[in-house]
Amino acid sequence: MLFLAVFSSLVYSTVGADLQGALNDVWDFTESYLLPLWQNRFYVYTTAAVLIGVWFIVNMLFKKTKMVNPVNPWIYKSAKKQELSPVTEKVIHVSRVKVFYGSQTGTAKGFAKELAEDVSTQGIQCEVIDMKEYDPDDRLAEECTSKMICVFLVATYTDGQPTESAEWFCKWLEEASTDFRYGKTYLKGMRYAVFGLGNSVYVGHYNTVSKNIDKWLWMLSAARIMTRGEGDCNVVKSRHGSVQADFHSWKTKFLSRLQALAKGEKKACSGKCKKSSCKNKKKHKEEAEDSRSLAEKNNSEEELMESSSDAESSAEEEKSHGSVIDMEDLGNVMNRMKKAKRMEGDEEEAQGVKLSKQNGVRKSETEEERREMITPALRDALTKQGYKLIGSHSGVKLCRWTKSMLRGRGGCYKHTFYGIESHRCMETTPSLACANKCVFCWRHHTNPVGTEWRWKMDPAEKIIQEAMENHRNMIRQFRGVPGVRPERFEEGLTVKHCALSLVGEPIMYPEINTFLRLLHQQNISSFLVTNAQFPEEIRNLVPVTQLYVSVDASTKDSLKKIDRPLFKDFWQRFLDSLKALGEKQQRTVYRLTLVKAWNVDELKAYSDLIALGQPDFIEVKGVTYCGESSASSLTMANVPWHEEVIYFVQQLANLLPNYEIACEHEHSNCLLLAHHKFKVDGEWWTWIDYERFQELIQEYDESGGTASFSAMDYMAKTPSWAIFGARERGFEPLDTRFQRKNKTKDISGC
């Protein structure tokens, strides 16, 4: 062991000395190269970074070239041929458009067909579907995967409910939107657009159905291709003057949007970019300029297209912000809501022209700014029905009883009950608008509706002058017609009576008192009919020859069902109107229209209403069937027989101790109950002394209203043939009754 230790030390001393020398030589050599590199290390690092960057770029370019160029030369040749081929495969972004409609009167259906024709002209297949014939449970999900676009044209019906044809579709969609079994993505992939038809007069229900459908589709993750459109039948608030014009404006935008989608273009910026970071500044600039110009005209189409549903707007914001609103933003949200409500209130106040005691209008806006009641479409429809339109809101039409009496074929029930000369009676109205949409309206709801006067107004002088001219011109057309009696033809050219019962609500006309005075100044008697929705206007009305109130039902529910009034407080207005009628000193009449299975079983309630207004007369008439109408469900089964009307009147008379059946007009299916004060010495005096009335009204006007008079001051004796129970049954014996056979009846008349 000692030997090995000594040997190792000797070897280490010899080899170690040589190794140390070699290491020193290597270090000296290496130091001469490494030291300059270390001193210039910044340049070294920069060079290395540049080389790595160049390598990376070259590598990426090589990969891209490799992906674009096919490896297989045969594939390359095939692709080259396709590139050079003139016919290339077209990518389809919109395969078809389906237009769904829910209509009651046929307007939405007509719009659907019109839209389908315009879509087809763009080379896109289009299908029109009635919601009534479509099962959404089985088929709606199919519209999500076929590059389809669905359009929904829906009308809002009574009380904000869908039409009968859209009822099931809406019910299913509402349930599906809240049913967890379908899920919130059930309609994901569907693209849709909605246009609603409504009437803003119904404040609480305006376009409710379209808003709900839009909301329910959105809740199921369907995608809107454009904002919902709204058509307004109220010409005053309609953005474009009529529901047709509103639809055409929306249709233009839809077709433009459809064309863009067909080209594969993405949706334009909505203008709701977060933190104002929208990249499409040019688009925003153009929209801002368009908004300013449209705002100056106060006719912005964007306002029409914007949703008016608070729930929907909030839902949109919640979706875009993750369903969370910061507490610090809550104040701004509330301020915006208050400002919007305040602006809406100011707008309504500026547009509204209330009826006043003086029959004037509040000059909150000039006549030029108000719209005409009669739109071009309405003018065409009414003209086809035989109306002679006057100005922007009035009309006159020849009653069928005027034609009948000219030919000696009998007069109307007013001739039998009150002594009117039917061939000298002018049927007109200074207001085509009405506050009700009665189920038995024999104008089929072609006239506009409203709760107050918001249209341009023509002077009363112009209306009366043109009404009489048009009436005479229509009478002149009977010159030489076989059967027309010459003496009655000459008499017919001089108007003696005016029945303000043509259509609409005459009492809405702000200058109705001036209108009535002008009639009386020309020795024309006045028969004014109102629908019992304007009690203050009844109280402020000047004396008329005879004032009617339509009492179409005796309970709140049945009145709502039959008259379909626009006012929310319609029942209180109805009762107040009857009370106002009872305050009148001149002749007053309740006008009852019997609709079988609707209002013939309310005898006790009718007697209570009669006690409230104490009218002089009560006319009870069976409803006239005016033909099939999509706006009404009435049929011939709802028309009572004359014997049924007699039975009803007899039962009603038993509940009214102060009334008795006085007259009958079988041909009109009508009877008259009269107050006992018109039965003098056992004889009825229901007729009117028209000459005496003109004397009394003249004295009244000259005295400034102090020389009052009552219905008893101008009554006349009723002829025997007009009395109930007479053999003639109300038909003038000097005339010849004409029975029509297998001919369509002319149902026009008062």
Side-chain angles (χ1 to χ4, degrees), residues 400-412 415 422-423 478 481-485 488 665 667 730-740 743:
R400 77 178 182 98
W401 290 109
T402 301
K403 307 172 188 176
S404 177
M405 202 161 188
L406 282 171
R407 307 176 75 176
R409 295 180 177 180
C412 67
H415 172 63
S422 301
H423 63 296
F478 284 82
V481 173
V484 173
R485 297 184 179 181
R488 289 190 178 178
H665 192 253
H667 198 50
F731 189 83
E732 167 70 71
L734 298 178
D735 289 342
T736 303
R737 188 162 183 177
F738 179 78
Q739 299 284 356
R740 294 179 180 271
K743 289 187 178 180

Side-chain angles (χ1 to χ4, degrees), residues 587-617:
R587 295 166 66 104
T588 56
V589 183
Y590 274 15
R591 188 176 186 176
L592 276 63
T593 302
L594 297 186
V595 185
K596 193 189 293 187
W598 289 59
N599 62 357
V600 295
D601 300 322
E602 304 171 350
L603 286 167
K604 182 59 173 64
Y606 274 120
S607 65
D608 293 339
L609 293 179
I610 292 169
L612 185 65
Q614 290 292 320
D616 295 324
F617 305 97

Side-chain angles (χ1 to χ4, degrees), residues 329-500:
D329 294 333
L330 190 58
N332 295 331
V333 173
M334 295 300 294
N335 289 334
R336 285 197 298 269
M337 291 175 64
K338 290 179 180 179
K339 184 178 179 182
K341 289 183 178 179
R342 188 165 55 249
M343 290 175 65
E344 183 178 354
D346 293 342
E347 181 182 354
E348 288 191 1
E349 183 179 355
Q351 289 182 350
V353 181
K354 302 287 186 181
L355 302 177
S356 65
K357 291 184 178 180
Q358 294 75 23
N359 283 321
V361 291
R362 188 174 58 202
K363 299 297 182 180
S364 57
E365 57 181 355
T366 62
E367 287 291 329
E368 289 74 13
E369 291 174 344
R370 298 184 213 137
R371 290 178 178 170
E372 293 186 356
M373 180 188 295
I374 306 176
T375 63
L378 179 60
R379 185 176 294 275
D380 292 341
L382 293 175
T383 302
K384 289 179 181 178
Q385 295 177 29
Y387 287 85
K388 301 297 181 183
L389 300 178
I390 304 164
S392 62
H393 54 76
S394 308
V396 63
K397 189 179 182 183
L398 206 61
C399 173
R400 77 178 182 98
W401 290 109
T402 301
K403 307 172 188 176
S404 177
M405 202 161 188
L406 282 171
R407 307 176 75 176
R409 295 180 177 180
C412 67
Y413 70 88
K414 288 189 180 72
H415 172 63
T416 300
F417 296 169
Y418 316 117
I420 271 186
E421 298 175 83
S422 301
H423 63 296
R424 304 182 68 182
C425 180
M426 176 178 69
E427 192 178 19
T428 186
T429 181
S431 171
L432 291 165
C434 187
N436 290 347
K437 301 187 77 173
C438 305
V439 294
F440 52 76
C441 178
W442 56 284
R443 309 298 179 183
H444 294 308
H445 308 113
T446 51
N447 55 306
V449 292
T451 57
E452 59 186 1
W453 193 270
R454 294 190 171 189
W455 302 277
K456 287 183 179 180
M457 188 177 66
D458 301 322
E461 295 83 0
K462 174 185 177 181
I463 298 173
I464 289 182
Q465 180 181 355
E466 294 191 17
M468 294 179 66
E469 288 178 0
N470 280 290
H471 179 79
R472 291 192 191 100
N473 289 335
M474 288 186 285
I475 293 292
R476 290 190 182 100
Q477 293 176 5
F478 284 82
R479 186 188 299 275
V481 173
V484 173
R485 297 184 179 181
E487 69 279 4
R488 289 190 178 178
F489 175 80
E490 294 300 327
E491 290 174 348
L493 295 174
T494 303
V495 178
K496 188 177 180 180
H497 315 286
C498 180
L500 294 167

